Amino acid sequence: MARNPRFDPLFEPIKIGPVTAPNRFYQVPHCSGMGYLRPQMLAAMRGVKAEGGWGVVCTEYCSIDAGSDESPYPHASLRDDDDIKNLRLMTEAVHRHGSLAGVELWYGGHSSANMESREIPLDVASLPNTSSLGMPLQSQAMSIADIEHFRGLYRAAAQRALAAGFDIVYVYATHQYLINNFLSLELNQREDEYGGALENRVRLLRQVIEDVGEIVAGRSALAVRYSIPRDYNQDPDQLLESFKLVAELPDLWDITVNDYHLEMGSSRFVREASNQDAVAKIKSLTSKPVVSVGRFTSPDTMLAQINSGVQDFIGAARPSIADPFLPSKINEGREEDIRECIGCNVCYAHDSLGVPIRCTQNPTTLLK
């Protein structure tokens, strides 16, 4: 069967800085329960998505330092040469099918319990640990020297990302991890050049974007994952104003809403594409490509996002698990064969237990 020509916009290539995505289907970073413990399984899972037509396939978040350790959960990591070797399995699997591979560089701050490394996590302030492990732990407030060290961690991780063959390198600035916490008026009570005024609270994000940009310039694209409020009348952290200060710095913006109940809502309570009004607002403030999720399952809804200019890519985590071959099915005129994500979040539940993800719609997560 042939593709319905009205879906052609979904298959148009688009440049992201120095690289070109073959289409508009973008598997955003999502955790898998595989990580550093199961690198071959992880590579196979991502490779199947590239085979299924996703033009960009990203990792889960990758720890850049032992001070960002989520044990006993087996997150991916990119700290040393062994990690480069493990993640090269993934990039090779993705490149084999002509897709781009992206990596999300992560430092958790006060969310990291560091049960294995036993290191004290750094953050904007001394804050209680927010992991689900119930340990009475605190982060350490960063000194200026710590901030310089942290910037060095990002630069070194970006070098390793290039060595592993990634085409897109992320700065992770959302989900209440370290960089995001510097943007917070509530958490950031610093009295130095990184606290107080809006420009100061954005300073670390700007610096890390510029640092990583210098490392990857001309070799891979630079992406930033960033949170926005669903309602701009309720923006206590001035996230919209912060965005304006760095809107043109990266090659791509990966936009989420700052409420997990909405970002990962069940289909029973959160409809498809429910956050796109907020995404459209951000899109109007930058000339750079934008990707965002919305539990996209309908090809018509996907097409509407591209045709209306709300976003440049159809971002997906859960729908790409429910059907790794969703893009190919649209391309082949088999829309009725798509395994639709129902937003039950059993995938997220299994990852939260530190075991490989499952899916009620796609029991192996690798089925065609």
Side-chain angles (χ1 to χ4, degrees):
M1 298 176 65
R3 179 174 80 219
N4 187 324
R6 69 191 182 88
F7 293 124
D8 286 351
L10 294 174
F11 294 88
E12 293 176 353
I14 182 172
K15 284 187 66 63
I16 313 172
V19 300
T20 300
N23 59 41
R24 305 305 180 93
F25 295 95
Y26 192 116
Q27 183 246 281
V28 299
H30 75 74
C31 287
S32 66
M34 303 169 193
Y36 68 85
L37 282 181
R38 306 172 180 91
Q40 293 179 329
M41 187 179 189
L42 180 65
M45 184 265 290
R46 305 294 188 197
V48 165
K49 295 187 184 189
E51 180 185 356
W54 295 89
V56 179
V57 180
C58 297
T59 63
E60 58 207 72
Y61 60 37
C62 290
S63 169
I64 63 174
D65 183 70
S68 184
D69 163 27
E70 267 205 330
S71 297
Y73 305 108
H75 58 266
S77 61
L78 189 48
R79 304 178 190 171
D80 54 32
D81 289 347
D82 286 339
D83 290 329
I84 293 173
K85 180 180 178 181
N86 284 342
L87 288 174
R88 194 178 289 127
L89 296 173
M90 178 219 155
T91 60
E92 290 173 351
V94 170
H95 289 158
R96 195 172 298 127
H97 301 285
S99 301
L100 301 180
V103 60
E104 185 174 58
L105 306 181
W106 168 73
Y107 190 98
H110 74 130
S111 73
S112 297
N114 294 346
M115 298 297 291
E116 181 177 25
S117 71
R118 301 189 182 187
E119 293 198 10
I120 299 173
L122 302 174
D123 213 316
V124 64
S126 179
L127 301 168
N129 181 258
T130 58
S131 73
S132 60
L133 301 178
M135 301 298 291
L137 305 170
Q138 290 276 131
S139 62
Q140 176 176 299
M142 299 173 79
S143 67
I144 296 299
D146 290 329
I147 289 174
E148 289 302 312
H149 175 70
F150 174 75
R151 292 174 60 188
L153 294 177
Y154 249 99
R155 287 193 292 267
Q159 291 279 15
R160 290 191 287 271
L162 293 176
F166 284 102
D167 309 289
I168 303 172
V169 178
Y170 269 77
V171 172
Y172 197 178
T174 183
H175 293 143
Q176 299 179 351
Y177 298 132
L178 187 148
I179 296 177
N180 182 223
N181 294 342
F182 272 77
L183 301 175
S184 169
L185 273 170
E186 178 184 359
L187 298 181
N188 187 346
Q189 300 293 316
R190 301 175 70 97
E191 297 180 354
D192 58 15
E193 61 264 42
Y194 289 91
L198 179 66
E199 292 80 2
N200 288 349
R201 288 184 283 114
V202 177
R203 190 182 305 275
L204 181 61
L205 172 58
R206 175 187 288 277
Q207 288 176 330
V208 174
I209 292 173
E210 292 173 344
D211 290 339
V212 174
E214 289 177 5
I215 298 297
V216 305
R219 301 175 63 185
S220 76
L222 168 60
V224 176
R225 203 170 208 184
Y226 188 85
S227 286
I228 57 173
R230 192 180 190 189
D231 182 354
Y232 285 111
N233 295 315
Q234 300 179 19
D235 187 12
D237 290 329
Q238 299 176 292
L239 294 172
L240 182 59
E241 296 304 312
S242 297
F243 180 85
K244 293 177 182 178
L245 297 179
V246 292
E248 295 301 312
L249 292 184
D251 299 310
L252 173 86
W253 286 100
D254 183 338
I255 299 299
T256 71
V257 294
N258 57 359
D259 185 334
Y260 241 33
H261 294 93
L262 299 174
E263 183 184 343
M264 291 192 60
S266 165
S267 59
R268 182 177 180 183
F269 302 106
V270 180
R271 62 180 175 80
E272 183 184 18
S274 63
N275 300 316
Q276 302 327 107
D277 287 346
V279 176
K281 177 64 175 178
I282 281 289
K283 176 61 180 170
S284 72
L285 299 174
T286 180
S287 67
K288 301 305 176 72
V290 169
V291 61
S292 186
V293 298
R295 200 181 51 79
F296 295 114
T297 58
S298 164
D300 290 306
T301 303
M302 299 176 197
L303 182 64
Q305 308 307 304
I306 303 301
N307 285 344
S308 66
V310 170
Q311 56 197 69
D312 301 281
F313 289 97
I314 302 304
R318 294 173 297 169
S320 74
I321 298 167
D323 197 338
F325 286 79
L326 183 155
S328 293
K329 289 176 180 178
I330 298 175
N331 192 36
E332 296 166 2
R334 298 192 295 123
E335 297 90 351
E336 70 281 0
D337 293 337
I338 292 173
R339 296 172 182 263
E340 294 189 7
C341 171
I342 60 173
C344 69
N345 288 337
V346 70
C347 53
Y348 184 64
H350 280 75
D351 172 71
S352 297
L353 295 173
V355 296
I357 54 176
R358 297 184 185 181
C359 179
T360 56
Q361 298 294 82
N362 184 4
T364 71
T365 75
L366 300 177
L367 289 177
K368 297 185 179 183

